[in-house]
Amino acid sequence: MKTVCIIPVNKLNNIKSRLSNFFNIEQRIELNIEMLNDVLLAVKHSKNIDETYIITPDKNVINIIKKFKCRYLFEKKKLGVNIAVQKAISKSIIEGATAAIILPSDIPLISSDEIDRIINYGKTKNTVIITPAKRFDGTNSLFLHPPKIINTYYDQNSFTSHYNEAVKKNSKCNVLLSKNIMLDLDSISDLKEFVKIKSNTNTWKYLNKLI
């Protein structure tokens, strides 16, 4: 099984606009960079990820991912996260991928062990493994074996949509609950919860100075 990791990244200056009342644009950009670094570190130390694809309309992301030796896919036109993810999946299949795990860039507590656990659970073909966001609306990890076993429905109550499609396709569907993966940093309450969980992440070190 050749497993790829796909991480869609929006323009750094557009992410986390809901935090604009608390942080200025420079602080939000730096926060996005630190979160992406933490996710990429976890992916880098995974024993089961063979290739990582970053798909983004932001050329500034290139400088961030250089040290991680990721594949960079540029979105010439911003057509939405689902089209971006499908573009990366199609590219990975051409290059031999038989499974994919899709992660957001704002889950800094994720660990390489958790990534490997998901992939190990999904070694049987026709498997979908979903980890929802803590509010059970979004999807914070989506493992697909094979990579096109279901469509993606990000920004569309995606957890329920992904689960329903997996069931409809008669796949082996598992929901894996992990506090570390489920905590994405979207609101000030998320940030406060995150800071209380002292960690050795770049994100924690940065936020601890701001909050």
Short mmCIF file of all heavy atoms in Angstrom, two decimals, residues 142-176:
data_model
loop_
_atom_site.label_atom_id
_atom_site.label_comp_id
_atom_site.label_asym_id
_atom_site.label_seq_id
_atom_site.Cartn_x
_atom_site.Cartn_y
_atom_site.Cartn_z
N LEU A 142 -9.32 12.42 7.07
CA LEU A 142 -10.09 11.55 6.19
C LEU A 142 -9.13 10.60 5.48
O LEU A 142 -8.30 11.02 4.68
CB LEU A 142 -10.87 12.38 5.16
CG LEU A 142 -11.76 11.60 4.17
CD1 LEU A 142 -12.86 10.84 4.92
CD2 LEU A 142 -12.36 12.55 3.14
N PHE A 143 -9.24 9.32 5.84
CA PHE A 143 -8.39 8.29 5.22
C PHE A 143 -9.22 7.52 4.21
O PHE A 143 -10.33 7.04 4.52
CB PHE A 143 -7.84 7.33 6.28
CG PHE A 143 -7.03 6.21 5.70
CD1 PHE A 143 -5.69 6.39 5.39
CD2 PHE A 143 -7.62 4.97 5.43
CE1 PHE A 143 -4.94 5.36 4.84
CE2 PHE A 143 -6.88 3.94 4.88
CZ PHE A 143 -5.53 4.14 4.58
N LEU A 144 -8.67 7.38 3.00
CA LEU A 144 -9.40 6.74 1.90
C LEU A 144 -8.53 5.65 1.26
O LEU A 144 -7.42 5.93 0.82
CB LEU A 144 -9.76 7.78 0.83
CG LEU A 144 -10.51 9.03 1.30
CD1 LEU A 144 -10.65 10.03 0.15
CD2 LEU A 144 -11.88 8.66 1.85
N HIS A 145 -9.06 4.44 1.23
CA HIS A 145 -8.35 3.31 0.61
C HIS A 145 -9.34 2.50 -0.22
O HIS A 145 -10.12 1.73 0.35
CB HIS A 145 -7.72 2.44 1.70
CG HIS A 145 -6.92 1.30 1.16
ND1 HIS A 145 -6.53 0.23 1.95
CD2 HIS A 145 -6.42 1.03 -0.09
CE1 HIS A 145 -5.84 -0.62 1.23
NE2 HIS A 145 -5.76 -0.16 -0.01
N PRO A 146 -9.37 2.74 -1.54
CA PRO A 146 -8.49 3.55 -2.38
C PRO A 146 -8.81 5.04 -2.30
O PRO A 146 -9.84 5.42 -1.73
CB PRO A 146 -8.75 2.99 -3.78
CG PRO A 146 -10.16 2.50 -3.72
CD PRO A 146 -10.36 1.95 -2.34
N PRO A 147 -7.97 5.89 -2.90
CA PRO A 147 -8.12 7.33 -2.71
C PRO A 147 -9.41 7.94 -3.24
O PRO A 147 -9.82 9.01 -2.78
CB PRO A 147 -6.90 7.91 -3.47
CG PRO A 147 -5.90 6.81 -3.46
CD PRO A 147 -6.70 5.55 -3.59
N LYS A 148 -10.05 7.29 -4.20
CA LYS A 148 -11.29 7.84 -4.76
C LYS A 148 -12.51 7.00 -4.38
O LYS A 148 -13.51 6.98 -5.10
CB LYS A 148 -11.18 7.97 -6.28
CG LYS A 148 -10.31 9.15 -6.72
CD LYS A 148 -10.54 9.52 -8.18
CE LYS A 148 -9.79 10.81 -8.52
NZ LYS A 148 -10.08 11.26 -9.91
N ILE A 149 -12.44 6.36 -3.23
CA ILE A 149 -13.55 5.51 -2.80
C ILE A 149 -14.82 6.33 -2.57
O ILE A 149 -15.93 5.87 -2.78
CB ILE A 149 -13.17 4.70 -1.54
CG1 ILE A 149 -14.27 3.70 -1.20
CG2 ILE A 149 -12.84 5.59 -0.37
CD1 ILE A 149 -13.87 2.72 -0.11
N ILE A 150 -14.66 7.59 -2.11
CA ILE A 150 -15.80 8.51 -1.96
C ILE A 150 -15.37 9.90 -2.45
O ILE A 150 -14.18 10.19 -2.57
CB ILE A 150 -16.31 8.62 -0.51
CG1 ILE A 150 -15.22 9.21 0.41
CG2 ILE A 150 -16.82 7.29 0.00
CD1 ILE A 150 -15.73 9.59 1.80
N ASN A 151 -16.36 10.73 -2.73
CA ASN A 151 -16.09 12.14 -3.00
C ASN A 151 -15.83 12.86 -1.69
O ASN A 151 -16.11 12.34 -0.61
CB ASN A 151 -17.28 12.78 -3.72
CG ASN A 151 -17.50 12.22 -5.11
OD1 ASN A 151 -16.54 12.02 -5.85
ND2 ASN A 151 -18.74 11.97 -5.47
N THR A 152 -15.31 14.07 -1.77
CA THR A 152 -15.11 14.87 -0.56
C THR A 152 -16.14 15.99 -0.52
O THR A 152 -16.57 16.51 -1.55
CB THR A 152 -13.69 15.45 -0.49
OG1 THR A 152 -13.46 16.27 -1.64
CG2 THR A 152 -12.66 14.34 -0.41
N TYR A 153 -16.51 16.37 0.71
CA TYR A 153 -17.58 17.35 0.92
C TYR A 153 -17.18 18.40 1.96
O TYR A 153 -17.98 18.76 2.82
CB TYR A 153 -18.86 16.64 1.37
CG TYR A 153 -19.39 15.67 0.34
CD1 TYR A 153 -19.06 14.32 0.39
CD2 TYR A 153 -20.23 16.10 -0.68
CE1 TYR A 153 -19.54 13.43 -0.56
CE2 TYR A 153 -20.73 15.21 -1.63
CZ TYR A 153 -20.37 13.88 -1.56
OH TYR A 153 -20.85 13.00 -2.50
N TYR A 154 -15.96 18.87 1.87
CA TYR A 154 -15.51 19.88 2.83
C TYR A 154 -16.37 21.14 2.70
O TYR A 154 -16.83 21.49 1.61
CB TYR A 154 -14.04 20.20 2.61
CG TYR A 154 -13.14 19.04 2.98
CD1 TYR A 154 -12.59 18.22 2.00
CD2 TYR A 154 -12.87 18.73 4.32
CE1 TYR A 154 -11.78 17.14 2.34
CE2 TYR A 154 -12.08 17.66 4.66
CZ TYR A 154 -11.54 16.87 3.67
OH TYR A 154 -10.76 15.78 4.01
N ASP A 155 -16.58 21.80 3.84
CA ASP A 155 -17.41 23.01 3.93
C ASP A 155 -18.89 22.72 3.69
O ASP A 155 -19.67 23.63 3.41
CB ASP A 155 -16.94 24.10 2.95
CG ASP A 155 -15.52 24.56 3.26
OD1 ASP A 155 -15.13 24.52 4.44
OD2 ASP A 155 -14.82 24.98 2.32
N GLN A 156 -19.29 21.46 3.79
CA GLN A 156 -20.70 21.09 3.57
C GLN A 156 -21.15 20.11 4.67
O GLN A 156 -21.62 19.03 4.38
CB GLN A 156 -20.87 20.43 2.20
CG GLN A 156 -20.39 21.27 1.03
CD GLN A 156 -20.37 20.46 -0.27
OE1 GLN A 156 -21.33 19.79 -0.62
NE2 GLN A 156 -19.26 20.53 -0.99
N ASN A 157 -20.98 20.52 5.94
CA ASN A 157 -21.25 19.60 7.05
C ASN A 157 -20.53 18.28 6.75
O ASN A 157 -21.13 17.21 6.71
CB ASN A 157 -22.75 19.39 7.22
CG ASN A 157 -23.09 18.69 8.53
OD1 ASN A 157 -22.32 18.72 9.48
ND2 ASN A 157 -24.24 18.05 8.57
N SER A 158 -19.23 18.38 6.54
CA SER A 158 -18.48 17.31 5.88
C SER A 158 -18.43 16.00 6.64
O SER A 158 -18.39 14.93 6.03
CB SER A 158 -17.06 17.78 5.55
OG SER A 158 -16.31 18.00 6.73
N PHE A 159 -18.43 16.06 7.97
CA PHE A 159 -18.36 14.79 8.71
C PHE A 159 -19.55 13.90 8.36
O PHE A 159 -19.39 12.73 7.99
CB PHE A 159 -18.31 15.02 10.22
CG PHE A 159 -18.49 13.76 11.02
CD1 PHE A 159 -17.58 12.72 10.93
CD2 PHE A 159 -19.60 13.59 11.84
CE1 PHE A 159 -17.76 11.54 11.65
CE2 PHE A 159 -19.79 12.42 12.56
CZ PHE A 159 -18.86 11.40 12.47
N THR A 160 -20.75 14.45 8.47
CA THR A 160 -21.96 13.68 8.15
C THR A 160 -21.98 13.28 6.68
O THR A 160 -22.33 12.14 6.34
CB THR A 160 -23.21 14.49 8.49
OG1 THR A 160 -23.21 14.80 9.89
CG2 THR A 160 -24.48 13.71 8.17
N SER A 161 -21.59 14.19 5.81
CA SER A 161 -21.60 13.91 4.37
C SER A 161 -20.62 12.80 4.01
O SER A 161 -20.95 11.89 3.23
CB SER A 161 -21.26 15.18 3.58
OG SER A 161 -22.23 16.19 3.82
N HIS A 162 -19.41 12.86 4.58
CA HIS A 162 -18.42 11.81 4.31
C HIS A 162 -18.89 10.46 4.85
O HIS A 162 -18.75 9.43 4.19
CB HIS A 162 -17.07 12.18 4.93
CG HIS A 162 -16.38 13.30 4.23
ND1 HIS A 162 -15.63 14.25 4.89
CD2 HIS A 162 -16.32 13.64 2.91
CE1 HIS A 162 -15.14 15.11 4.01
NE2 HIS A 162 -15.54 14.75 2.82
N TYR A 163 -19.44 10.49 6.06
CA TYR A 163 -19.90 9.23 6.67
C TYR A 163 -21.04 8.62 5.85
O TYR A 163 -21.02 7.41 5.54
CB TYR A 163 -20.37 9.49 8.10
CG TYR A 163 -20.83 8.23 8.80
CD1 TYR A 163 -19.92 7.37 9.41
CD2 TYR A 163 -22.18 7.89 8.83
CE1 TYR A 163 -20.33 6.21 10.02
CE2 TYR A 163 -22.60 6.73 9.45
CZ TYR A 163 -21.68 5.89 10.05
OH TYR A 163 -22.10 4.74 10.66
N ASN A 164 -22.01 9.44 5.47
CA ASN A 164 -23.16 8.92 4.71
C ASN A 164 -22.73 8.36 3.36
O ASN A 164 -23.23 7.32 2.92
CB ASN A 164 -24.20 10.03 4.51
CG ASN A 164 -24.94 10.36 5.80
OD1 ASN A 164 -24.91 9.58 6.76
ND2 ASN A 164 -25.60 11.50 5.84
N GLU A 165 -21.79 9.03 2.70
CA GLU A 165 -21.33 8.54 1.40
C GLU A 165 -20.56 7.24 1.56
O GLU A 165 -20.70 6.32 0.74
CB GLU A 165 -20.45 9.59 0.71
CG GLU A 165 -19.75 9.08 -0.53
CD GLU A 165 -20.13 9.83 -1.79
OE1 GLU A 165 -21.15 10.52 -1.78
OE2 GLU A 165 -19.41 9.69 -2.78
N ALA A 166 -19.76 7.14 2.62
CA ALA A 166 -19.01 5.90 2.85
C ALA A 166 -19.96 4.73 3.08
O ALA A 166 -19.74 3.62 2.56
CB ALA A 166 -18.08 6.08 4.04
N VAL A 167 -21.00 4.95 3.85
CA VAL A 167 -21.99 3.91 4.10
C VAL A 167 -22.72 3.54 2.80
O VAL A 167 -22.94 2.37 2.49
CB VAL A 167 -23.00 4.36 5.17
CG1 VAL A 167 -24.16 3.38 5.28
CG2 VAL A 167 -22.30 4.52 6.52
N LYS A 168 -23.07 4.57 2.04
CA LYS A 168 -23.78 4.36 0.77
C LYS A 168 -22.95 3.52 -0.19
O LYS A 168 -23.49 2.71 -0.96
CB LYS A 168 -24.09 5.72 0.15
CG LYS A 168 -24.92 5.66 -1.12
CD LYS A 168 -25.20 7.08 -1.61
CE LYS A 168 -25.97 7.06 -2.92
NZ LYS A 168 -26.21 8.45 -3.42
N LYS A 169 -21.62 3.70 -0.15
CA LYS A 169 -20.73 2.95 -1.04
C LYS A 169 -20.36 1.58 -0.49
O LYS A 169 -19.53 0.87 -1.06
CB LYS A 169 -19.45 3.76 -1.28
CG LYS A 169 -19.66 5.05 -2.07
CD LYS A 169 -19.93 4.78 -3.53
CE LYS A 169 -20.12 6.05 -4.33
NZ LYS A 169 -18.88 6.82 -4.51
N ASN A 170 -20.98 1.19 0.64
CA ASN A 170 -20.73 -0.11 1.27
C ASN A 170 -19.26 -0.31 1.64
O ASN A 170 -18.74 -1.43 1.58
CB ASN A 170 -21.19 -1.26 0.34
CG ASN A 170 -22.68 -1.26 0.14
OD1 ASN A 170 -23.44 -1.10 1.10
ND2 ASN A 170 -23.11 -1.43 -1.09
N SER A 171 -18.62 0.76 2.01
CA SER A 171 -17.22 0.66 2.43
C SER A 171 -17.16 0.25 3.90
O SER A 171 -18.15 0.34 4.63
CB SER A 171 -16.51 1.99 2.24
OG SER A 171 -17.02 2.96 3.14
N LYS A 172 -15.97 -0.17 4.32
CA LYS A 172 -15.73 -0.41 5.74
C LYS A 172 -15.44 0.95 6.36
O LYS A 172 -14.34 1.48 6.23
CB LYS A 172 -14.55 -1.36 5.92
CG LYS A 172 -14.24 -1.69 7.37
CD LYS A 172 -13.01 -2.58 7.48
CE LYS A 172 -12.65 -2.81 8.94
NZ LYS A 172 -11.39 -3.59 9.06
N CYS A 173 -16.42 1.53 7.03
CA CYS A 173 -16.30 2.90 7.52
C CYS A 173 -16.12 2.92 9.03
O CYS A 173 -16.91 2.33 9.77
CB CYS A 173 -17.53 3.72 7.14
SG CYS A 173 -17.44 5.44 7.65
N ASN A 174 -15.08 3.58 9.49
CA ASN A 174 -14.81 3.72 10.92
C ASN A 174 -14.69 5.19 11.29
O ASN A 174 -14.14 5.99 10.52
CB ASN A 174 -13.49 3.02 11.29
CG ASN A 174 -13.57 1.52 11.13
OD1 ASN A 174 -14.43 0.87 11.71
ND2 ASN A 174 -12.69 0.96 10.32
N VAL A 175 -15.20 5.53 12.45
CA VAL A 175 -15.04 6.87 13.00
C VAL A 175 -14.04 6.78 14.14
O VAL A 175 -14.27 6.05 15.11
CB VAL A 175 -16.38 7.45 13.50
CG1 VAL A 175 -16.16 8.81 14.16
CG2 VAL A 175 -17.37 7.56 12.35
N LEU A 176 -12.92 7.47 13.99
CA LEU A 176 -11.88 7.43 15.01
C LEU A 176 -11.88 8.76 15.76
O LEU A 176 -11.69 9.82 15.16
CB LEU A 176 -10.52 7.19 14.35
CG LEU A 176 -9.35 6.92 15.31
CD1 LEU A 176 -8.36 5.97 14.67
CD2 LEU A 176 -8.63 8.22 15.69
#
